[in-house]
Amino acid sequence: MKTLNKTLLVIGGGPGGYVAAIRAGQLGIPTVLVEGDRLGGTCLNVGCIPSKALIHLAGEFERAHRFTAANPLGIRVQEPSLDLAQAQRWKDGIVGKLTGGVGALLRKAGVQVVKGWATVVDGKTVDVATHEGEPVRIACEHLLLATGSVAVELPSLPTGGPVMTSTEALALTEIPRHLVVVGAGYIGLEMGMAWRKLGADVAVVEAAGRILPGWDEELTQPVMASLRRQGITLHLNCKAEGLAEAGNGLRVRSNQADEFVLPADKVLVAVGRLPRTAGFGLESLQLDMAGRAVKVDDQCRTSMRNVWAIGDVAGEPMLAHRAMAQGEMVAEIIAGHRRRFAPMAIPAVCFTDPELVVAGLSPDEAEARGLEVQVAAFPFAANGRALSVEGSEGFVRVVARRDTHQVLGWQAVGQGVSELSAAFCYAIEMGARLEDVAGIIHAHPTLGEAVQETALRALGHALHI
Ligand code: FAD
Ligand code: NAD
């Protein structure tokens, strides 16, 4: 067996693993990265990037469709058509560009990439069944686990035939007539809305009593209204029981125990993701676990010396930017820098229509911590930019300490609010007070003015409401 010796061995080439490897390479740490599938991981290949491309495509198609009827803008177009094969090629092209870019960045940083599936032998040794055929044994001083996560499968709805995970739902070559989405979380709503805009009949089955149960309820109200407007049917307090015998429907049971069948030629199961901890010998290390995730401290150290874990395999929140931040940090710690993972805010964005963004503490979270806070909101209906881009729905909300006015959290719902996440995080991480945000000149007309007005409103002197 071929052998290789490196200071750092990274298993997994997703946003966590590839960022860790690039930074380690930049810092002069001899590094090897093992990836069994495609560089870029879930995020670039079957997650963040292709899903956002699909959402953009669907939004553009819907907009074109909207202009076939009378509309306030006075634009009239003929009935649009969609070449889905071309659209999929466009989406795949973006993925190809980005994953190719990751390969180039790794090369530039001097990282060796081994393509193949890794099996952990011990905390300093990994065997790789390479795609080329010849197995490799890699010895390392530091082992970084960045193996990501896998979609949760429902026993009554194994993937296959009409039943899909997000991966298959991103690659459909025909628009389903009846798509049933199980789970009204991030994936279910982002993808359900996209396929609805592309022409599918969409029904959503959700076990909880409301959509996006992990999100602030007030924030999700405009998304509820949008689902209704788009004609997506919602079955709350319901669980999927399995495919109907005829194979063209989904059996659903409500919490009142009545069972009904929803027509379905495709079923997307999006009921969460679990850390990928099985199937590659990880058990042999007997690491401490935190539920299904590998337990890590605030430096992403596991319970075994010089074995590290980052990203989805290290648990919630399973978001690409958190994985990247942890990866960068671990590389720097190995290089001898003093670092800790203690962000005040890890922003979360749900790319529904309208979008949702949260950063820092919500009013409820602040209250649960016993903090005395003041909360203020500003509606996009009073923001010139929002009105001029037909995005008057939604609001920005701020949570600040009552005594010092230090900003602790932001929430927003509305068209394009994902881009406010940077401003939200700057304010929180830099310890801004309401007065700081209120005193900054924000360009006009922009959605950012709503952020400033929210701070002004919390101070009791909003100007435009
Ligand atoms: P991953 O990206 O999962 O990468 C892990 C890699 O490890 C994979 O490439 C895998 O092949 C490899 N691997 C695993 N085991 C082995 C082994 N034994 N040997 C070799 N290689 C191995 N997050 C956001 O922040 N924003 C979004 O908009 C967003 N949208 C999403 C949309 C969808 C449909 C999905 C499914 C997820 C989305 N996410 C989003 C979540 C995001 O993709 C993950 O949080 C992120 O990819 C986690 O990065 P990671 O590096 O921990 O793992
Ligand atoms: P999720 O946790 O967001 O939502 C799962 C939903 O399924 C929940 O509402 C839950 O109540 C429901 N559910 C669970 N079991 C059910 C059952 N048996 N029947 C009906 N409903 C059921 O999970 P997801 O949408 O699968 O996404 C997985 C993860 O991927 C997210 O938690 C997030 O970390 C990541 N992600 C992020 C983004 C983003 O950042 N924009 C987008 C997509 C995915």
mmCIF file of all heavy atoms in Angstrom, residues 10-56:
data_model
loop_
_atom_site.group_PDB
_atom_site.id
_atom_site.type_symbol
_atom_site.label_atom_id
_atom_site.label_comp_id
_atom_site.label_asym_id
_atom_site.label_seq_id
_atom_site.Cartn_x
_atom_site.Cartn_y
_atom_site.Cartn_z
ATOM 1 N N VAL A 10 -7.292 16.224 6.336
ATOM 2 C CA VAL A 10 -8.693 16.658 6.402
ATOM 3 C C VAL A 10 -9.547 15.627 5.676
ATOM 4 O O VAL A 10 -9.273 15.319 4.511
ATOM 5 C CB VAL A 10 -8.870 18.033 5.708
ATOM 6 C CG1 VAL A 10 -10.317 18.497 5.814
ATOM 7 C CG2 VAL A 10 -7.920 19.072 6.294
ATOM 8 N N ILE A 11 -10.569 15.112 6.345
ATOM 9 C CA ILE A 11 -11.509 14.216 5.646
ATOM 10 C C ILE A 11 -12.744 15.031 5.299
ATOM 11 O O ILE A 11 -13.475 15.484 6.184
ATOM 12 C CB ILE A 11 -11.920 12.996 6.499
ATOM 13 C CG1 ILE A 11 -10.705 12.230 7.001
ATOM 14 C CG2 ILE A 11 -12.816 12.072 5.670
ATOM 15 C CD1 ILE A 11 -11.055 10.989 7.820
ATOM 16 N N GLY A 12 -12.987 15.229 4.009
ATOM 17 C CA GLY A 12 -14.165 15.952 3.554
ATOM 18 C C GLY A 12 -13.788 17.265 2.898
ATOM 19 O O GLY A 12 -13.122 18.102 3.505
ATOM 20 N N GLY A 13 -14.232 17.424 1.652
ATOM 21 C CA GLY A 13 -13.883 18.630 0.890
ATOM 22 C C GLY A 13 -15.045 19.585 0.732
ATOM 23 O O GLY A 13 -15.154 20.292 -0.272
ATOM 24 N N GLY A 14 -15.955 19.631 1.726
ATOM 25 C CA GLY A 14 -17.037 20.627 1.738
ATOM 26 C C GLY A 14 -16.511 21.960 2.229
ATOM 27 O O GLY A 14 -15.290 22.143 2.405
ATOM 28 N N PRO A 15 -17.399 22.933 2.485
ATOM 29 C CA PRO A 15 -16.946 24.265 2.893
ATOM 30 C C PRO A 15 -16.112 24.252 4.169
ATOM 31 O O PRO A 15 -15.207 25.082 4.324
ATOM 32 C CB PRO A 15 -18.245 25.062 3.080
ATOM 33 C CG PRO A 15 -19.346 24.082 3.035
ATOM 34 C CD PRO A 15 -18.861 22.865 2.325
ATOM 35 N N GLY A 16 -16.392 23.321 5.078
ATOM 36 C CA GLY A 16 -15.584 23.220 6.289
ATOM 37 C C GLY A 16 -14.189 22.733 5.945
ATOM 38 O O GLY A 16 -13.173 23.395 6.233
ATOM 39 N N GLY A 17 -14.130 21.571 5.296
ATOM 40 C CA GLY A 17 -12.851 20.917 5.015
ATOM 41 C C GLY A 17 -11.985 21.685 4.042
ATOM 42 O O GLY A 17 -10.776 21.860 4.274
ATOM 43 N N TYR A 18 -12.581 22.193 2.938
ATOM 44 C CA TYR A 18 -11.700 22.845 1.960
ATOM 45 C C TYR A 18 -11.156 24.168 2.489
ATOM 46 O O TYR A 18 -10.013 24.534 2.214
ATOM 47 C CB TYR A 18 -12.351 22.940 0.569
ATOM 48 C CG TYR A 18 -13.274 24.098 0.289
ATOM 49 C CD1 TYR A 18 -12.789 25.405 0.171
ATOM 50 C CD2 TYR A 18 -14.634 23.896 0.076
ATOM 51 C CE1 TYR A 18 -13.640 26.465 -0.107
ATOM 52 C CE2 TYR A 18 -15.495 24.951 -0.205
ATOM 53 C CZ TYR A 18 -14.994 26.233 -0.296
ATOM 54 O OH TYR A 18 -15.825 27.285 -0.566
ATOM 55 N N VAL A 19 -11.978 24.899 3.271
ATOM 56 C CA VAL A 19 -11.473 26.158 3.841
ATOM 57 C C VAL A 19 -10.357 25.881 4.849
ATOM 58 O O VAL A 19 -9.325 26.560 4.851
ATOM 59 C CB VAL A 19 -12.628 26.977 4.481
ATOM 60 C CG1 VAL A 19 -12.075 28.091 5.370
ATOM 61 C CG2 VAL A 19 -13.509 27.567 3.394
ATOM 62 N N ALA A 20 -10.545 24.844 5.676
ATOM 63 C CA ALA A 20 -9.494 24.480 6.641
ATOM 64 C C ALA A 20 -8.197 24.160 5.895
ATOM 65 O O ALA A 20 -7.108 24.611 6.279
ATOM 66 C CB ALA A 20 -9.940 23.281 7.478
ATOM 67 N N ALA A 21 -8.329 23.397 4.809
ATOM 68 C CA ALA A 21 -7.135 22.964 4.076
ATOM 69 C C ALA A 21 -6.451 24.153 3.396
ATOM 70 O O ALA A 21 -5.220 24.278 3.426
ATOM 71 C CB ALA A 21 -7.519 21.900 3.053
ATOM 72 N N ILE A 22 -7.257 25.048 2.793
ATOM 73 C CA ILE A 22 -6.654 26.222 2.133
ATOM 74 C C ILE A 22 -5.886 27.058 3.161
ATOM 75 O O ILE A 22 -4.734 27.446 2.952
ATOM 76 C CB ILE A 22 -7.735 27.083 1.440
ATOM 77 C CG1 ILE A 22 -8.274 26.365 0.201
ATOM 78 C CG2 ILE A 22 -7.168 28.455 1.048
ATOM 79 C CD1 ILE A 22 -9.470 27.057 -0.451
ATOM 80 N N ARG A 23 -6.543 27.321 4.297
ATOM 81 C CA ARG A 23 -5.889 28.182 5.310
ATOM 82 C C ARG A 23 -4.633 27.497 5.846
ATOM 83 O O ARG A 23 -3.603 28.158 6.054
ATOM 84 C CB ARG A 23 -6.884 28.490 6.447
ATOM 85 C CG ARG A 23 -6.363 29.477 7.458
ATOM 86 C CD ARG A 23 -6.179 30.876 6.868
ATOM 87 N NE ARG A 23 -5.507 31.786 7.790
ATOM 88 C CZ ARG A 23 -4.391 32.441 7.500
ATOM 89 N NH1 ARG A 23 -3.818 32.324 6.317
ATOM 90 N NH2 ARG A 23 -3.849 33.240 8.386
ATOM 91 N N ALA A 24 -4.731 26.161 6.058
ATOM 92 C CA ALA A 24 -3.556 25.436 6.555
ATOM 93 C C ALA A 24 -2.417 25.545 5.542
ATOM 94 O O ALA A 24 -1.265 25.795 5.906
ATOM 95 C CB ALA A 24 -3.920 23.980 6.826
ATOM 96 N N GLY A 25 -2.758 25.373 4.268
ATOM 97 C CA GLY A 25 -1.742 25.488 3.216
ATOM 98 C C GLY A 25 -1.109 26.869 3.231
ATOM 99 O O GLY A 25 0.115 27.014 3.156
ATOM 100 N N GLN A 26 -1.950 27.901 3.342
ATOM 101 C CA GLN A 26 -1.420 29.283 3.384
ATOM 102 C C GLN A 26 -0.446 29.460 4.538
ATOM 103 O O GLN A 26 0.498 30.229 4.462
ATOM 104 C CB GLN A 26 -2.576 30.278 3.560
ATOM 105 C CG GLN A 26 -3.462 30.439 2.342
ATOM 106 C CD GLN A 26 -4.674 31.324 2.636
ATOM 107 O OE1 GLN A 26 -5.000 31.569 3.804
ATOM 108 N NE2 GLN A 26 -5.343 31.777 1.598
ATOM 109 N N LEU A 27 -0.717 28.752 5.642
ATOM 110 C CA LEU A 27 0.105 28.903 6.845
ATOM 111 C C LEU A 27 1.326 27.974 6.827
ATOM 112 O O LEU A 27 2.043 27.866 7.812
ATOM 113 C CB LEU A 27 -0.751 28.630 8.093
ATOM 114 C CG LEU A 27 -1.810 29.700 8.380
ATOM 115 C CD1 LEU A 27 -2.877 29.171 9.336
ATOM 116 C CD2 LEU A 27 -1.156 30.952 8.963
ATOM 117 N N GLY A 28 1.499 27.268 5.716
ATOM 118 C CA GLY A 28 2.684 26.420 5.570
ATOM 119 C C GLY A 28 2.579 25.062 6.248
ATOM 120 O O GLY A 28 3.591 24.388 6.460
ATOM 121 N N ILE A 29 1.376 24.648 6.590
ATOM 122 C CA ILE A 29 1.198 23.330 7.226
ATOM 123 C C ILE A 29 1.055 22.273 6.121
ATOM 124 O O ILE A 29 0.155 22.397 5.278
ATOM 125 C CB ILE A 29 -0.079 23.319 8.106
ATOM 126 C CG1 ILE A 29 0.012 24.378 9.212
ATOM 127 C CG2 ILE A 29 -0.338 21.936 8.688
ATOM 128 C CD1 ILE A 29 -1.307 24.640 9.925
ATOM 129 N N PRO A 30 1.935 21.265 6.093
ATOM 130 C CA PRO A 30 1.781 20.220 5.077
ATOM 131 C C PRO A 30 0.425 19.522 5.250
ATOM 132 O O PRO A 30 0.137 18.948 6.300
ATOM 133 C CB PRO A 30 2.949 19.264 5.376
ATOM 134 C CG PRO A 30 3.948 20.114 6.107
ATOM 135 C CD PRO A 30 3.126 21.067 6.925
ATOM 136 N N THR A 31 -0.428 19.642 4.219
ATOM 137 C CA THR A 31 -1.824 19.245 4.366
ATOM 138 C C THR A 31 -2.276 18.348 3.225
ATOM 139 O O THR A 31 -1.940 18.595 2.061
ATOM 140 C CB THR A 31 -2.723 20.516 4.384
ATOM 141 O OG1 THR A 31 -2.307 21.341 5.465
ATOM 142 C CG2 THR A 31 -4.194 20.166 4.545
ATOM 143 N N VAL A 32 -3.076 17.339 3.576
ATOM 144 C CA VAL A 32 -3.724 16.521 2.559
ATOM 145 C C VAL A 32 -5.222 16.524 2.837
ATOM 146 O O VAL A 32 -5.648 16.481 3.990
ATOM 147 C CB VAL A 32 -3.143 15.078 2.526
ATOM 148 C CG1 VAL A 32 -3.269 14.382 3.871
ATOM 149 C CG2 VAL A 32 -3.823 14.237 1.449
ATOM 150 N N LEU A 33 -6.009 16.628 1.770
ATOM 151 C CA LEU A 33 -7.466 16.602 1.913
ATOM 152 C C LEU A 33 -7.986 15.392 1.145
ATOM 153 O O LEU A 33 -7.620 15.179 -0.017
ATOM 154 C CB LEU A 33 -8.074 17.890 1.362
ATOM 155 C CG LEU A 33 -9.605 18.026 1.435
ATOM 156 C CD1 LEU A 33 -9.989 19.479 1.677
ATOM 157 C CD2 LEU A 33 -10.292 17.537 0.181
ATOM 158 N N VAL A 34 -8.849 14.602 1.809
ATOM 159 C CA VAL A 34 -9.419 13.425 1.156
ATOM 160 C C VAL A 34 -10.902 13.678 0.898
ATOM 161 O O VAL A 34 -11.644 14.029 1.817
ATOM 162 C CB VAL A 34 -9.273 12.167 2.052
ATOM 163 C CG1 VAL A 34 -9.815 10.939 1.327
ATOM 164 C CG2 VAL A 34 -7.829 11.964 2.457
ATOM 165 N N GLU A 35 -11.305 13.539 -0.330
ATOM 166 C CA GLU A 35 -12.721 13.726 -0.687
ATOM 167 C C GLU A 35 -13.182 12.511 -1.515
ATOM 168 O O GLU A 35 -12.574 12.180 -2.530
ATOM 169 C CB GLU A 35 -12.914 15.028 -1.471
ATOM 170 C CG GLU A 35 -14.299 15.218 -2.071
ATOM 171 C CD GLU A 35 -15.454 15.089 -1.076
ATOM 172 O OE1 GLU A 35 -15.496 15.855 -0.105
ATOM 173 O OE2 GLU A 35 -16.322 14.202 -1.259
ATOM 174 N N GLY A 36 -14.260 11.894 -1.046
ATOM 175 C CA GLY A 36 -14.755 10.682 -1.719
ATOM 176 C C GLY A 36 -15.684 10.982 -2.873
ATOM 177 O O GLY A 36 -15.893 10.129 -3.744
ATOM 178 N N ASP A 37 -16.249 12.177 -2.879
ATOM 179 C CA ASP A 37 -17.218 12.476 -3.932
ATOM 180 C C ASP A 37 -16.684 13.658 -4.746
ATOM 181 O O ASP A 37 -15.723 13.508 -5.479
ATOM 182 C CB ASP A 37 -18.580 12.780 -3.274
ATOM 183 C CG ASP A 37 -19.733 12.721 -4.249
ATOM 184 O OD1 ASP A 37 -19.457 12.654 -5.454
ATOM 185 O OD2 ASP A 37 -20.899 12.758 -3.818
ATOM 186 N N ARG A 38 -17.268 14.837 -4.577
ATOM 187 C CA ARG A 38 -16.797 15.976 -5.359
ATOM 188 C C ARG A 38 -16.364 17.105 -4.431
ATOM 189 O O ARG A 38 -17.027 17.368 -3.427
ATOM 190 C CB ARG A 38 -17.904 16.467 -6.290
ATOM 191 C CG ARG A 38 -18.088 15.536 -7.495
ATOM 192 C CD ARG A 38 -19.273 15.951 -8.344
ATOM 193 N NE ARG A 38 -20.523 15.790 -7.640
ATOM 194 C CZ ARG A 38 -21.707 16.204 -8.096
ATOM 195 N NH1 ARG A 38 -21.781 16.833 -9.236
ATOM 196 N NH2 ARG A 38 -22.804 16.006 -7.397
ATOM 197 N N LEU A 39 -15.271 17.782 -4.794
ATOM 198 C CA LEU A 39 -14.834 18.931 -4.003
ATOM 199 C C LEU A 39 -15.986 19.934 -3.918
ATOM 200 O O LEU A 39 -16.734 20.113 -4.878
ATOM 201 C CB LEU A 39 -13.626 19.600 -4.660
ATOM 202 C CG LEU A 39 -12.294 18.868 -4.538
ATOM 203 C CD1 LEU A 39 -11.208 19.600 -5.332
ATOM 204 C CD2 LEU A 39 -11.867 18.715 -3.079
ATOM 205 N N GLY A 40 -16.109 20.577 -2.775
ATOM 206 C CA GLY A 40 -17.206 21.533 -2.590
ATOM 207 C C GLY A 40 -18.301 20.982 -1.703
ATOM 208 O O GLY A 40 -19.111 21.727 -1.168
ATOM 209 N N GLY A 41 -18.332 19.640 -1.571
ATOM 210 C CA GLY A 41 -19.254 19.012 -0.622
ATOM 211 C C GLY A 41 -20.716 19.237 -0.958
ATOM 212 O O GLY A 41 -21.088 19.538 -2.097
ATOM 213 N N THR A 42 -21.538 19.112 0.069
ATOM 214 C CA THR A 42 -22.978 19.302 -0.086
ATOM 215 C C THR A 42 -23.265 20.703 -0.595
ATOM 216 O O THR A 42 -24.034 20.904 -1.535
ATOM 217 C CB THR A 42 -23.672 19.111 1.289
ATOM 218 O OG1 THR A 42 -23.314 17.833 1.794
ATOM 219 C CG2 THR A 42 -25.181 19.223 1.177
ATOM 220 N N CYS A 43 -22.636 21.683 0.035
ATOM 221 C CA CYS A 43 -22.924 23.094 -0.244
ATOM 222 C C CYS A 43 -22.821 23.425 -1.731
ATOM 223 O O CYS A 43 -23.776 23.907 -2.332
ATOM 224 C CB CYS A 43 -21.956 23.949 0.569
ATOM 225 S SG CYS A 43 -21.983 25.679 0.153
ATOM 226 N N LEU A 44 -21.657 23.152 -2.315
ATOM 227 C CA LEU A 44 -21.457 23.580 -3.699
ATOM 228 C C LEU A 44 -22.132 22.661 -4.711
ATOM 229 O O LEU A 44 -22.571 23.113 -5.766
ATOM 230 C CB LEU A 44 -19.949 23.650 -4.007
ATOM 231 C CG LEU A 44 -19.326 25.039 -3.903
ATOM 232 C CD1 LEU A 44 -19.609 25.708 -2.591
ATOM 233 C CD2 LEU A 44 -17.831 24.981 -4.156
ATOM 234 N N ASN A 45 -22.221 21.373 -4.387
ATOM 235 C CA ASN A 45 -22.714 20.420 -5.384
ATOM 236 C C ASN A 45 -24.215 20.176 -5.328
ATOM 237 O O ASN A 45 -24.873 20.116 -6.360
ATOM 238 C CB ASN A 45 -21.972 19.085 -5.226
ATOM 239 C CG ASN A 45 -20.521 19.200 -5.616
ATOM 240 O OD1 ASN A 45 -20.208 19.338 -6.793
ATOM 241 N ND2 ASN A 45 -19.626 19.178 -4.633
ATOM 242 N N VAL A 46 -24.754 20.007 -4.110
ATOM 243 C CA VAL A 46 -26.173 19.621 -3.996
ATOM 244 C C VAL A 46 -26.884 20.399 -2.892
ATOM 245 O O VAL A 46 -27.882 19.932 -2.353
ATOM 246 C CB VAL A 46 -26.313 18.089 -3.745
ATOM 247 C CG1 VAL A 46 -25.905 17.296 -4.967
ATOM 248 C CG2 VAL A 46 -25.527 17.648 -2.514
ATOM 249 N N GLY A 47 -26.348 21.560 -2.539
ATOM 250 C CA GLY A 47 -26.951 22.294 -1.417
ATOM 251 C C GLY A 47 -27.141 23.761 -1.740
ATOM 252 O O GLY A 47 -27.877 24.130 -2.663
ATOM 253 N N CYS A 48 -26.431 24.594 -0.976
ATOM 254 C CA CYS A 48 -26.602 26.055 -1.049
ATOM 255 C C CYS A 48 -26.629 26.581 -2.478
ATOM 256 O O CYS A 48 -27.571 27.294 -2.867
ATOM 257 C CB CYS A 48 -25.440 26.753 -0.334
ATOM 258 S SG CYS A 48 -24.852 25.936 1.140
ATOM 259 N N ILE A 49 -25.604 26.270 -3.245
ATOM 260 C CA ILE A 49 -25.439 26.936 -4.541
ATOM 261 C C ILE A 49 -26.477 26.480 -5.577
ATOM 262 O O ILE A 49 -27.211 27.318 -6.123
ATOM 263 C CB ILE A 49 -23.981 26.759 -5.058
ATOM 264 C CG1 ILE A 49 -23.010 27.438 -4.072
ATOM 265 C CG2 ILE A 49 -23.828 27.307 -6.470
ATOM 266 C CD1 ILE A 49 -23.233 28.932 -3.844
ATOM 267 N N PRO A 50 -26.606 25.159 -5.830
ATOM 268 C CA PRO A 50 -27.626 24.794 -6.830
ATOM 269 C C PRO A 50 -29.041 25.150 -6.388
ATOM 270 O O PRO A 50 -29.880 25.480 -7.227
ATOM 271 C CB PRO A 50 -27.444 23.278 -6.992
ATOM 272 C CG PRO A 50 -26.668 22.828 -5.810
ATOM 273 C CD PRO A 50 -25.840 23.984 -5.379
ATOM 274 N N SER A 51 -29.301 25.120 -5.073
ATOM 275 C CA SER A 51 -30.670 25.459 -4.642
ATOM 276 C C SER A 51 -30.936 26.947 -4.861
ATOM 277 O O SER A 51 -32.027 27.336 -5.250
ATOM 278 C CB SER A 51 -30.925 25.043 -3.187
ATOM 279 O OG SER A 51 -30.114 25.758 -2.295
ATOM 280 N N LYS A 52 -29.922 27.782 -4.631
ATOM 281 C CA LYS A 52 -30.154 29.205 -4.849
ATOM 282 C C LYS A 52 -30.270 29.506 -6.346
ATOM 283 O O LYS A 52 -31.003 30.406 -6.768
ATOM 284 C CB LYS A 52 -29.044 30.047 -4.216
ATOM 285 C CG LYS A 52 -29.378 30.479 -2.803
ATOM 286 C CD LYS A 52 -29.295 29.398 -1.757
ATOM 287 C CE LYS A 52 -30.519 28.865 -1.169
ATOM 288 N NZ LYS A 52 -30.289 27.809 -0.163
ATOM 289 N N ALA A 53 -29.546 28.750 -7.173
ATOM 290 C CA ALA A 53 -29.692 28.925 -8.628
ATOM 291 C C ALA A 53 -31.113 28.526 -9.050
ATOM 292 O O ALA A 53 -31.759 29.233 -9.831
ATOM 293 C CB ALA A 53 -28.651 28.077 -9.359
ATOM 294 N N LEU A 54 -31.603 27.422 -8.506
ATOM 295 C CA LEU A 54 -32.971 26.979 -8.845
ATOM 296 C C LEU A 54 -34.001 28.018 -8.396
ATOM 297 O O LEU A 54 -34.956 28.333 -9.125
ATOM 298 C CB LEU A 54 -33.262 25.628 -8.161
ATOM 299 C CG LEU A 54 -34.628 25.031 -8.471
ATOM 300 C CD1 LEU A 54 -34.643 24.398 -9.854
ATOM 301 C CD2 LEU A 54 -35.032 23.987 -7.431
ATOM 302 N N ILE A 55 -33.782 28.586 -7.209
ATOM 303 C CA ILE A 55 -34.712 29.592 -6.685
ATOM 304 C C ILE A 55 -34.701 30.836 -7.584
ATOM 305 O O ILE A 55 -35.748 31.405 -7.893
ATOM 306 C CB ILE A 55 -34.343 29.947 -5.217
ATOM 307 C CG1 ILE A 55 -34.693 28.762 -4.307
ATOM 308 C CG2 ILE A 55 -35.036 31.218 -4.757
ATOM 309 C CD1 ILE A 55 -34.055 28.828 -2.927
ATOM 310 N N HIS A 56 -33.511 31.217 -8.039
ATOM 311 C CA HIS A 56 -33.419 32.380 -8.943
ATOM 312 C C HIS A 56 -34.148 32.100 -10.254
ATOM 313 O O HIS A 56 -34.953 32.907 -10.726
ATOM 314 C CB HIS A 56 -31.950 32.718 -9.213
ATOM 315 C CG HIS A 56 -31.767 33.775 -10.256
ATOM 316 N ND1 HIS A 56 -32.091 35.092 -10.035
ATOM 317 C CD2 HIS A 56 -31.340 33.697 -11.545
ATOM 318 C CE1 HIS A 56 -31.854 35.791 -11.137
ATOM 319 N NE2 HIS A 56 -31.404 34.963 -12.069
#
